[in-house]
Structure formats: structure tokens, C-alpha cells
Amino acid sequence: MQKEILLTLKNASVQYGGIHALSNVTVDIDEGEVIALMGPNGAGKTTVLKALFGISPLASGSVLIYGQKVVPKPHEMVARGITFVPQGRQVFKNLTVYENLELGGYALQNKSDVKLNIEESLKFFPALREKLSVKAGLLSGGQQQMLTIARGLISDPKVLLLDEPSLGLSPKIVKEVFEKIAEINKLRNIAIVIVEHSIKSVLSVSNRVYVLSQGNLAFSGTPSQLEKDDILQNVFLSAGK
């Protein structure tokens, strides 16, 4: 018997004013898999994440969790096990590292779970443990990115939506970030959906790939299938015209 897909964006269309950001796009996310969302700027990648999380309203289509249709609203999606980590290392700069982590558990009913989950999260990010009392704004860019991912784990998610986790980081730090992503996926069995321009980095950790072009789904398959296809080159070339 085939198991149900954990999270689905089904036949989704999203419009911003008169612009079609997504047109009839379907993305399936199963338990414990890592999915790459790829394509040029403006292709609709971030809109997929925002639609799944309830930030971008659907003009048509639906979001399903284990096959059951839901109306996505951010605070409710967190309670259902879906966490969104936006691009730009959005930390609360005037709060300490520990206070930032605490905010990641706002949806948890039992506050003792927050402390426990912070401890579990810090196992992946030992460098943050040394800076728990430091204001987040004083961290390096790489440390801030690690903090946003760590904070995303506090609610004990089933799915982690990551938007451009390597943005603005040095190659050395990008490598560390993706090593952490792979480690989290392996040890916690959390499904991770990554919007990312660093093609080599994201393909190294992904099980499946979706390529978007001008709001349409241009490819769906495995990284090895993508490497045999010229779709990425075609999509990026067409976007530059």
C-alpha cells in the first residue's frame, strides 16, 4: 500500500496584482526527503514556499497535509509541523541568541518542551551554545544563518522550508550550512524543501528536484535525471532574454 504524501501543493496558482507568480504548480513532499526548488529569479520558487506556509494566498489550487486539504495560515502551519525559514538571516537582532531560540517555540503548548527542544537543536549548532547570551545582531552572517535554522527546529517540525540559506555567505560557510542541513535531515528525519541558487550545494543533499520557469513547473525528477537533462541551461538562458 502506497503511503500518503506528507505535504502537497496541488494545482496551485498565485497572483500578485496582475502577475501570475505560479500557474497550476504541483509539488509533493514526502516524509524525510530533501527537495530542491530551482530556477532563475522570478521563477516562483519562494512563492511555492510562501503558498505552502500560508503567506501567499492561492488564487486556485490547494494545500494538503497527508491528503487532507487545509487552509494554510502561518501560525496554524507551525502547529501542524511546517516551519518556514525566510531568506536574509532574519534574526531579532536586539534579542539574545537564547531569546531568539525561545521564539521558535511559540506554537508549543508545553513550555518545558521549548527548553528541551532548544537543547536538541543546539546539538547541531554547538557554536551557538557559546553565544546564548550574546545579542543576535552581533553574530557573524554565518552564525545568524545557523541561528535561523536552529530556531526553525524548536517547534519540532515535520517539514522545514528553507529560502536561500546560502545567500550572502562565503563558500566555506555555505559548505557548513549544507552539511548541517544534511545532518538534520538524516538524524531527525525532517523533510526539507530548499530554494537555492547554489546548484552544486543543493543537489549534493537533495533526493528530488523541481525546476520552475516563469511560474510554471518545467522539471520534476531526481538530481541524476536533472544532470542528464538540459532543462536548467534552457530555463536560465530563456530567463536572460
Side-chain angles (χ1 to χ4, degrees):
M1 181 177 177
Q2 189 175 7
K3 62 181 179 180
E4 288 181 313
I5 302 297
L6 196 169
L7 180 65
T8 300
L9 184 66
K10 186 174 182 181
N11 301 331
S13 295
V14 174
Q15 297 179 16
Y16 298 132
I19 299 171
H20 292 269
L22 289 181
S23 299
N24 198 37
V25 169
T26 294
V27 172
D28 291 321
I29 302 143
D30 211 342
E31 292 178 348
E33 69 175 345
V34 180
I35 288 178
L37 291 178
M38 305 177 73
N41 288 333
K45 307 181 299 297
T46 296
T47 301
V48 168
L49 300 188
K50 290 182 174 180
L52 283 166
F53 197 60
I55 298 173
S56 294
L58 297 179
S60 62
S62 55
V63 174
L64 299 92
I65 298 178
Y66 289 118
Q68 299 297 311
K69 186 175 178 180
V70 299
V71 178
K73 297 177 182 177
H75 66 284
E76 293 178 0
M77 294 305 278
V78 172
R80 290 178 171 123
I82 318 298
T83 297
F84 177 49
V85 179
Q87 65 174 252
R89 304 190 291 276
Q90 295 186 23
V91 299
F92 296 94
K93 294 183 178 181
N94 291 322
L95 298 181
T96 67
V97 168
Y98 193 85
E99 288 167 340
N100 269 269
L101 292 172
E102 283 184 313
L103 287 173
Y106 73 91
L108 297 176
Q109 298 296 320
N110 189 340
K111 294 311 169 186
S112 64
D113 288 342
V114 177
K115 290 185 177 181
L116 180 64
N117 290 354
I118 288 175
E119 284 300 312
E120 289 297 313
S121 180
L122 288 171
K123 290 178 181 178
F124 293 105
F125 303 97
L128 292 179
R129 186 182 294 279
E130 302 167 10
K131 298 182 178 293
L132 291 178
S133 60
V134 175
K135 287 192 175 182
L138 298 177
L139 300 179
S140 68
Q143 290 168 338
Q144 288 184 13
Q145 184 60 71
M146 298 293 190
L147 176 56
T148 61
I149 297 173
R151 188 177 60 200
L153 296 176
I154 307 304
S155 61
D156 198 19
K158 297 183 181 72
V159 182
L160 199 58
L161 308 173
L162 300 181
D163 192 8
E164 295 281 8
S166 78
L167 188 68
L169 301 179
S170 70
K172 179 177 181 291
I173 301 301
V174 170
K175 183 174 182 290
E176 290 180 19
V177 167
F178 277 92
E179 285 173 352
K180 293 297 182 184
I181 289 170
E183 188 180 352
I184 290 165
N185 170 254
K186 181 179 179 180
L187 297 180
R188 293 278 294 271
N189 198 40
I190 295 172
I192 303 176
V193 186
I194 313 171
V195 167
E196 181 55 60
H197 276 102
S198 179
I199 294 173
K200 184 178 179 181
S201 297
V202 74
L203 290 182
S204 72
V205 300
S206 298
N207 304 113
R208 288 194 300 120
V209 184
Y210 289 93
V211 178
L212 292 159
S213 175
Q214 299 178 336
N216 296 287
L217 190 62
F219 174 88
S220 171
T222 65
S224 60
Q225 288 171 332
L226 180 67
E227 288 170 2
K228 297 172 185 174
D229 201 306
D230 57 3
I231 186 66
L232 267 185
Q233 182 179 0
N234 294 339
V235 164
F236 277 93
L237 284 175
S238 65
K241 292 179 180 178

